Amino acid sequence: MDSKIIDGKKISLDIKNEVKEEIEKINKAGGHVRLAVILVGNDSASHVYVRNKKKACEYTGIISDSYELPEETTEDELLSLVDRLNNDESVNGILVQLPLPSHINEDHILMAIDPKKDVDGFHPVNVGSLSIGRPGMVSCTPAGIIELLKRSGVKMDGKKACVIGRSNIVGKPMAMLLLRENCTVTVAHSHTKDLKSVTKQADILIAAVGRPKFITSDYVKEGAVVIDVGMDRDSNGKLCGDVDLADVYDHVEKITPVPGGVGPMTIAMLMRNCLQAYKDKG
């Protein structure tokens, strides 16, 4: 592959193989790693994500239990299932696929998951641990981006990093992880004045905007590393990212494509979090 393109498919496969190797040892010793995946309703994208997670579990040797519940499931019924899984010693990880139907409060559900089984890294206890540098589950997409950078030989120590986007799932934890790697971090967002002048300072630019091909070459410093978190559709309905890859390509040192960049890493890191949850249980 082109040396500028960071190959998320290959790096994610490396991580899944590392997980697989460890799980084989656990299985030989009579243990098992088990993930419970809960899907409520019939959101088609969610069904695709859940199918991909099941495939990754099969590949790595993680047992996955699927709870596919009807759209009309009540919040109390869902909380009761989460509580049952929290108390089930054989379950190491619990994942509730978002979005949930509108009559269910997502915060109530995420707060109910035992932080030690929260393999998505969304529980406030895990978010708080990340912010003060304590061990805990880390949100899969930002954790995957750090692995992409490290395994592509990108030095982070002392570099200026800019994260565009401040969501709880990507932007905020991403900034925390970059700080942990000794970057000088700026978080930009929809209220940032003169965004281009801010992003052009960055040695490492992470775009999590949710707008197709929004980042063009005039946002990018010459020789920057650009990570594209976007999963958008262009005017022809074709999958693309937040970065206009063709336009910025000549200006960057390295860049992730969409698809095949950050996407595969999210599921690889989920597998790693499941393994970690098993190990932490002792």
Side-chain angles (χ1 to χ4, degrees):
M1 189 180 250
D2 177 337
S3 63
K4 275 193 182 189
I5 299 287
I6 296 175
D7 187 350
K9 282 185 183 167
K10 185 195 175 299
I11 295 171
S12 71
L13 183 60
D14 291 345
I15 290 169
K16 283 191 287 193
N17 285 336
E18 289 160 17
V19 171
K20 185 179 184 179
E21 207 173 290
E22 286 203 56
I23 285 175
E24 279 167 5
K25 288 178 191 160
I26 289 167
N27 291 347
K28 273 183 190 151
H32 65 257
V33 180
R34 184 183 292 273
L35 170 67
V37 179
I38 303 171
L39 175 61
V40 185
N42 34 34
D43 181 83
S44 56
S46 292
H47 277 272
V48 172
Y49 289 136
V50 166
R51 207 158 50 240
N52 289 340
K53 285 165 187 172
K54 281 184 191 164
K55 274 188 205 156
C57 284
E58 275 169 33
Y59 182 81
T60 53
I62 291 170
I63 299 164
S64 76
D65 297 332
S66 197
Y67 297 85
E68 298 190 8
L69 309 176
E71 183 86 18
E72 58 275 12
T73 300
T74 66
E75 189 173 304
D76 283 346
E77 285 168 335
L78 184 51
L79 285 168
S80 145
L81 172 59
V82 168
D83 185 56
R84 200 174 87 229
L85 295 169
N86 281 340
N87 291 304
D88 184 337
E89 282 292 303
S90 73
V91 173
N92 307 105
I94 301 169
L95 185 151
V96 177
Q97 183 64 45
L98 302 178
L100 289 167
S102 55
H103 64 276
I104 296 175
N105 183 315
E106 285 183 1
D107 283 347
H108 291 172
I109 305 304
L110 297 179
M111 290 276 286
I113 297 170
D114 179 342
K116 292 186 183 71
K117 297 187 180 191
D118 165 40
V119 286
D120 262 333
F122 295 163
H123 193 285
V125 166
N126 287 321
V127 176
S129 294
L130 173 61
S131 72
I132 59 172
R134 293 190 55 161
M137 291 289 165
V138 178
S139 189
C140 300
T141 300
I145 290 167
I146 294 292
E147 286 295 324
L148 279 180
L149 292 167
K150 284 183 174 173
R151 293 176 188 234
S152 303
V154 176
K155 298 278 184 285
M156 288 178 267
D157 199 305
K159 295 287 176 71
K160 287 182 182 172
C162 179
V163 182
I164 316 173
R166 52 178 166 176
S167 74
N168 291 337
I169 291 172
V170 179
K172 288 175 188 169
M174 191 73 249
M176 299 283 188
L177 287 173
L178 288 163
L179 281 171
R180 193 188 272 185
E181 299 296 331
N182 300 317
C183 289
T184 300
V185 183
T186 303
V187 179
H189 44 77
S190 57
H191 290 245
T192 299
K193 300 275 190 288
D194 194 6
L195 183 62
K196 288 178 186 172
S197 71
V198 174
T199 58
K200 276 192 97 106
Q201 303 285 313
D203 304 304
I204 299 167
L205 180 62
I206 296 172
V209 191
R211 290 168 67 182
K213 300 187 181 179
F214 178 76
I215 300 297
T216 52
S217 55
D218 46 353
Y219 286 86
V220 178
K221 177 183 179 178
E222 204 66 38
V225 173
V226 177
I227 304 288
D228 189 349
V229 187
M231 287 288 274
D232 312 306
R233 298 273 169 192
D234 66 14
S235 51
N236 303 316
K238 190 166 175 267
L239 190 64
C240 69
D242 291 347
V243 179
D244 187 337
L245 190 141
D247 190 58
V248 306
Y249 182 84
D250 289 339
H251 302 271
V252 300
E253 184 195 337
K254 289 184 186 294
I255 188 166
T256 58
V258 176
V262 173
M265 294 300 294
T266 301
I267 289 182
M269 297 312 285
L270 174 66
M271 299 300 105
R272 201 158 89 170
N273 276 356
C274 291
L275 174 61
Q276 193 59 48
Y278 174 88
K279 289 177 174 173
D280 290 347
K281 197 179 72 170

